[in-house]
Amino acid sequence: MSEKVKILLDSDVVIHFIKGGCLSLLPDILPAYQFAILDIVLDMELRKHPQTCTQIDNHLRILKNIEVLCWNPDYEMMYEYNVLAQTLGVGESASMIYCKYHPNVLASSNLRDIKDYCEHNQITYLSTMDLLYLACHRKVMTEQECDEFITDVLRQGSKLPVRRLSLFTPRAEVLSL
């Protein structure tokens, strides 16, 4: 049996799904994939947010539907990480490098920071909105539930590009997952 391809979560997507009350739905949206997070993202970014600690810990220890991966870069990866980390966050930098050297999918909503790097290095990437679109398209959530998710996330101070799912157009790459 071959191992599932991983969807490597950056902190912003985890925080959005916690604020939207739907973190537990991630595995249902893309059941052919294993959701994972790098330990460096967990320790240096998510544990800074008290509201995320309890929920993410529940998913890691009780539900066991998000795997924690050890960030153990070799010299080449560390060099590239240090270059990226000068202008980008810890999570984006480590996650992009990890996905470059491991055939995984990146889940990050910092598209301005990740898009060029991912496209240049042929890394498939998903945003929170891509995941919401897939949740609706695959009938994991209704359009109304997706709109409520968006409203909740925006009300709690996070940024998303649209206020309703019907205003979002996914990239062709997303539709093929």
Side-chain angles (χ1 to χ4, degrees):
M1 183 171 117
S2 64
E3 187 175 313
K4 287 182 175 182
V5 172
K6 294 172 181 22
I7 295 180
L8 200 59
L9 297 164
D10 190 17
S11 60
D12 57 341
V13 173
V14 173
I15 291 167
H16 288 159
F17 273 84
I18 287 173
K19 287 180 176 181
C22 295
L23 188 62
S24 63
L25 295 181
L26 283 174
D28 298 332
I29 297 169
L30 289 166
Y33 295 82
Q34 170 64 48
F35 283 83
I37 189 164
L38 290 175
D39 58 357
I40 189 173
V41 174
L42 184 63
D43 295 338
M44 294 187 70
E45 292 188 348
L46 287 172
R47 298 226 188 269
K48 290 191 300 189
H49 303 279
Q51 70 194 45
T52 64
C53 284
T54 303
Q55 288 196 43
I56 194 72
D57 285 342
N58 285 341
H59 285 272
L60 298 174
R61 283 189 245 151
I62 299 166
L63 299 174
K64 297 182 181 174
N65 59 2
I66 298 174
E67 178 182 359
V68 178
L69 301 175
C70 182
W71 169 244
N72 188 18
D74 62 18
Y75 177 80
E76 186 176 353
M77 291 170 71
M78 196 64 199
Y79 177 81
E80 195 167 350
Y81 168 79
N82 286 330
V83 170
L84 287 177
Q86 290 178 16
T87 57
L88 304 176
V90 168
E92 290 87 15
S93 300
S95 297
M96 286 190 301
I97 303 277
Y98 189 91
C99 287
K100 178 180 177 180
Y101 292 92
H102 301 85
N104 296 307
V105 175
L106 175 63
S108 175
S109 286
N110 295 325
L111 297 180
R112 183 183 42 150
D113 293 342
I114 68 155
K115 183 178 184 275
D116 290 341
Y117 183 90
C118 287
E119 289 176 358
H120 178 75
N121 291 286
Q122 299 176 336
I123 299 168
T124 301
Y125 61 92
L126 298 168
S127 67
T128 296
M129 290 306 304
D130 293 327
L131 290 164
L132 271 184
Y133 175 85
L134 290 170
C136 186
H137 181 72
R138 294 175 175 198
K139 301 189 183 334
V140 174
M141 296 171 72
T142 65
E143 187 172 337
Q144 180 179 342
E145 289 170 330
C146 291
D147 289 345
E148 290 169 3
F149 174 106
I150 293 167
T151 299
D152 290 343
V153 170
L154 292 173
R155 185 176 339 108
Q156 293 176 66
S158 289
K159 295 178 183 176
L160 292 172
V162 295
R163 295 194 172 278
R164 290 192 326 267
L165 186 64
S166 62
L167 300 174
F168 178 74
T169 304
R171 293 170 289 118
E173 183 179 42
V174 172
L175 303 175
S176 67
L177 292 175

